[in-house]
């Protein structure tokens, strides 16, 4: 769901198997969390983001940008955390 609290399920699809990286950035462009970083099979995938940064600290409410890099393609999304 969007907005979410305390966690959300992020779904994405890749047309081919290969390396994928899905990261969350805050509105200022700072890296908050890496949700996926490695090899994924072709198809649909889901990952849960628990609203925490890479150090395990709860992040503040607000808008977060998701960036998926896979197979030479880049896709973006927005999610809102409500605290």
């Amino acid at each position: 769901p969007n907005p979410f609290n305390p966690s959300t399920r992020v779904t994405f699809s890749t047309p081919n198997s290969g390396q994928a990286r899905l990261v969350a950035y805050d509105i200022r462009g700072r890296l908050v969390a890496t949700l996926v970083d490695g090899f994924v099979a072709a198809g649909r995938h889901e990952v849960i983001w628990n609203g925490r940064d890479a150090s395990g600290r709860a992040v503040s409410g607000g808008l977060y940008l998701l960036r998926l890099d896979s197979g030479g393609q880049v896709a973006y999304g927005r999610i809102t955390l409500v605290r």
Side-chain angles (χ1 to χ4, degrees):
N2 193 15
F4 73 97
N5 180 3
S7 66
T8 189
R9 183 182 322 262
V10 179
T11 59
F12 64 96
S13 295
T14 56
N16 301 305
S17 298
Q19 295 296 315
R21 181 169 166 89
L22 176 63
V23 294
Y25 293 96
D26 68 15
I27 196 66
R28 292 185 177 143
R30 295 178 295 205
L31 177 65
V32 174
T34 300
L35 307 177
V36 174
D37 190 12
F39 184 86
V40 297
R44 186 174 183 272
H45 304 276
E46 294 183 355
V47 64
I48 302 292
W49 183 35
N50 60 2
R52 297 189 174 274
D53 66 14
S55 298
R57 295 180 302 250
V59 298
S60 61
L63 180 66
Y64 291 87
L65 306 174
L66 300 176
R67 177 184 166 133
L68 173 65
D69 293 288
S70 177
Q73 302 285 325
V74 177
Y76 296 93
R78 295 182 301 189
I79 56 177
T80 303
L81 172 60
V82 177
R83 292 246 187 236

